[in-house]
Amino acid sequence: MGRLLKELMKDILTKEELDKLYSGLDIIGDIAIFKVPDELSKYKSVIGERIISRLKNVKSVWCQVGPVSGEYRIRELEHVAGDNRSVTIYKEHGCIFKVDITRVYFSPRLSAERLRIAKLVEEGETVFNMFAGVGTYSIIVAKKKRNVKVYSSEINPDAYSLMIENIRLNKVEGKVIPLFGDSSKHAEDLKGTVDRVIMPLPEKAKEFLPKALLTLKKGGWIHYYTHIPYGKGEDPIEKAKAEVLGLKVVFGRVVREVGPRLAQVVLDLRAD
Ligand SMILES: C[S@@+](CC[C@H](N)C(=O)[O-])C[C@H]1O[C@@H](n2cnc3c(N)ncnc32)[C@H](O)[C@@H]1O
């Protein structure tokens, strides 16, 4: 998919313009999302039309016109081609998720991470997903394991409603327990009862880490996602380790680059 946009536009754009075109394209169910630099924004509709004619399973195309922002981490989107519809069904690791791309955070790019975490969960665990969105991590964990409880906090009412629908769609009622509101409050209620915390909100990881720790049993795990700016020759994983209050880092990797010299890093932490 990396070069698709460039290939679709090569008969219209100059070489310089083609070089500036971003290659990323997110496919979420039957919706495609792309970004263009400002100077190429006049081509948004043409790009959209061409995506629709090339990718037969895409029915609606949106352009991301602003960054992921705000407490709910929503991207600013503009409809450019196909059905003017923002709701779709996305499939991942044997689960289905109803998503409204204009009202909730959603990224297909974390798919490998979600599966990695689900595989690490052991039977009998109590898991706390502090930032559940439409239920992605929580539902995949619950689908892959027979005997788990995944407490799942979400503060965006639209994401919370979709999580409830997704719990039903995937038949994981009783295993995924949706909690509406601020996860730092839910952390107080879960004090000392949790085997594993998932923290997929990189922008606020540091701030919420003490609350995550509060919920953990001895020997519990935290999957800590953070954004790390790094300079030439610097290792983002080493830099991330400085944030984790001296907790033992058992594993770390760069999940993806989220900007120029800005890495999303995950650390698996153990509280002894
Ligand atoms: C980056 S998204 C991750 C969503 C989901 N885990 C996923 O990967 O698709 C972070 C989510 O945390 C929610 N959120 C932000 N602050 C929160 C808080 N204090 N308590 C609970 N949820 C929160 C946002 O609304 C958003 O849905």
Side-chain angles (χ1 to χ4, degrees):
M1 204 69 82
R3 295 196 55 81
L4 181 72
L5 295 191
K6 290 184 198 286
E7 192 200 314
L8 290 178
M9 296 300 286
K10 70 180 179 219
D11 60 327
I12 299 185
L13 301 185
T14 64
K15 169 145 186 358
E16 289 70 36
E17 287 175 326
L18 278 175
D19 286 343
K20 286 182 190 144
L21 202 60
Y22 305 134
S23 48
L25 180 67
D26 279 353
I27 308 285
I28 304 174
D30 62 359
I31 295 180
I33 303 175
F34 67 95
K35 279 196 240 180
V36 278
D38 286 347
E39 67 249 61
L40 299 182
S41 75
K42 60 177 184 259
Y43 297 111
K44 281 186 295 206
S45 306
V46 185
I47 295 173
E49 292 303 338
R50 289 187 169 200
I51 291 172
I52 294 267
S53 17
R54 172 63 72 88
L55 302 176
K56 296 298 171 212
N57 50 348
V58 170
K59 303 289 180 229
S60 174
V61 184
W62 294 69
C63 181
Q64 184 170 338
V65 292
V68 172
S69 66
E71 188 176 36
Y72 300 164
R73 312 308 301 149
I74 295 173
R75 24 182 168 186
E76 201 183 328
L77 296 167
E78 189 183 308
H79 174 258
V80 292
D83 303 347
N84 191 350
R85 163 172 56 77
S86 58
V87 177
T88 190
I89 296 285
Y90 170 79
K91 296 184 182 162
E92 186 180 289
H93 309 311
C95 302
I96 51 176
F97 298 100
K98 189 169 168 188
V99 175
D100 183 334
I101 56 160
T102 59
R103 290 175 173 269
V104 303
Y105 172 90
F106 190 81
S107 174
R109 296 179 191 207
L110 295 168
S111 167
E113 253 316 285
R114 294 192 271 257
L115 186 61
R116 187 182 77 83
I117 303 299
K119 284 182 173 168
L120 291 172
V121 174
E122 289 177 20
E123 291 295 347
E125 280 192 6
T126 298
V127 180
F128 179 30
N129 182 355
M130 294 184 85
F131 311 108
V134 299
T136 35
Y137 278 87
S138 305
I139 289 169
I140 294 168
V141 168
K143 260 302 206 212
K144 300 274 171 216
K145 304 288 155 160
R146 209 174 11 90
N147 175 26
V148 285
K149 275 218 168 353
V150 192
Y151 292 94
S152 304
S153 291
E154 178 50 54
I155 207 165
N156 171 356
D158 293 316
Y160 178 76
S161 301
L162 285 165
M163 170 165 42
I164 294 196
E165 237 181 300
N166 289 330
I167 290 170
R168 224 176 295 126
L169 282 171
N170 290 282
K171 302 188 173 54
V172 289
E173 296 100 328
K175 292 169 89 180
V176 176
I177 295 110
L179 303 171
F180 179 59
D182 183 354
S183 58
S184 56
K185 296 223 171 61
H186 303 143
E188 304 282 346
D189 302 331
L190 291 170
K191 191 171 171 181
T193 63
V194 169
D195 298 289
R196 192 179 296 274
V197 182
I198 311 172
M199 300 185 68
L201 180 58
E203 296 79 5
K204 292 203 180 158
K206 230 166 126 177
E207 181 188 325
F208 280 82
L209 186 56
K211 292 290 180 185
L213 263 175
L214 178 75
T215 68
L216 274 194
K217 293 181 194 164
K218 196 167 168 5
W221 292 89
I222 298 178
H223 302 293
Y224 179 88
Y225 293 85
T226 185
H227 284 166
I228 302 289
Y230 63 101
K232 227 178 168 171
E234 282 186 316
D235 178 356
I237 299 172
E238 285 308 313
K239 277 191 92 177
K241 287 179 183 172
E243 292 183 359
V244 299
L245 311 174
L247 285 163
K248 186 164 154 200
V249 179
V250 179
F251 174 81
R253 76 175 188 109
V254 172
V255 177
R256 56 185 177 142
E257 296 290 327
V258 286
R261 296 215 160 270
L262 183 64
Q264 183 176 125
V265 171
V266 61
L267 299 179
D268 294 349
L269 311 174
R270 183 117 204 222
D272 287 324

